[in-house]
Amino acid sequence: MSDHDTNNANDDELSLPRATVYKLIAEMLPKDVACAKDTRDLLLDCCNEFIHLIASESNEICEKDAKKTIAAEHVLTALRELGFEKYVSEVQEAYEEHRQQQTKDRGRKSTKLSQLGMSEEELLRSQELLFAQARMRYQNQPTTQEQPDAPSSSGV
């Protein structure tokens, strides 16, 4: 594999999914407007470059704050510092919606557990019992590769 192939593989790993970006482009354009493949590829490259730019700036801000994890506030600050101030409120709204959705999803998981009608301890005991039963079935199965006794050679 050449260096060029390796770079393409790394670019693909660090890239937005091509089909997803193409779909977004199609959804954003009016129905009577077509978009050439070269144009879609250029937009994909621009999107990737924008994300790398924001991520790099966010990382620098994170390091200045002596943090190890990039937080939403680092991204918002990066947008401001790079001159994308007009996007900050929209990004903040999207982030809040995301957090609310995560909270709802966590609530659904805990609701699902409570709907089972068993306490967590009862569920654990039930799980351990099922594992023990499966272990017993596994241990009591005859092995499928058992071979009949080989005839002994008594001619020696």
Side-chain angles (χ1 to χ4, degrees):
M1 186 180 256
S2 72
D3 287 342
H4 183 68
D5 293 336
T6 305
N7 284 341
N8 282 343
N10 288 340
D11 286 348
D12 285 344
E13 287 178 15
L14 299 174
S15 177
L16 293 169
R18 186 175 303 274
T20 304
V21 174
Y22 285 3
K23 183 179 176 187
L24 286 170
I25 292 169
E27 289 174 1
M28 300 290 281
L29 292 175
K31 298 292 179 201
D32 60 336
V33 175
C35 186
K37 183 181 182 319
D38 290 346
T39 306
R40 290 191 310 251
D41 289 341
L42 178 62
L43 282 168
L44 176 66
D45 290 342
C46 290
C47 291
N48 287 326
E49 193 61 36
F50 178 75
I51 290 171
H52 287 283
L53 176 69
I54 299 299
S56 296
E57 186 69 21
S58 299
N59 187 47
E60 288 179 23
I61 294 166
C62 178
E63 287 175 354
K64 286 178 191 172
D65 288 350
K67 302 288 183 180
K68 293 185 179 184
T69 304
I70 297 173
E73 190 54 45
H74 298 131
V75 175
L76 295 170
T77 303
L79 285 169
R80 285 185 199 99
E81 288 184 7
L82 291 170
F84 298 106
E85 179 70 38
K86 67 180 185 177
Y87 298 108
V88 171
S89 62
E90 196 172 336
V91 169
Q92 206 155 14
E93 285 176 31
Y95 175 63
E96 287 302 319
E97 287 175 20
H98 171 73
R99 288 185 59 187
Q100 288 173 358
Q101 187 61 45
Q102 279 187 320
T103 303
K104 286 179 187 176
D105 290 347
R106 275 191 224 115
R108 283 188 199 127
K109 288 178 186 173
S110 65
T111 302
K112 194 174 189 179
L113 182 64
S114 66
Q115 289 175 348
L116 290 174
M118 296 173 76
S119 71
E120 196 169 337
E121 292 80 23
E122 291 171 319
L123 286 169
L124 260 172
R125 279 194 299 269
S126 175
Q127 182 183 37
E128 289 170 1
L129 177 65
L130 289 169
F131 282 143
Q133 291 171 347
R135 200 174 301 110
M136 291 297 291
R137 280 194 305 268
Y138 177 75
Q139 290 171 348
N140 291 334
Q141 284 182 348
T143 58
T144 57
Q145 295 182 356
E146 286 182 6
Q147 297 180 5
D149 292 334
S152 62
S153 57
S154 56
V156 183

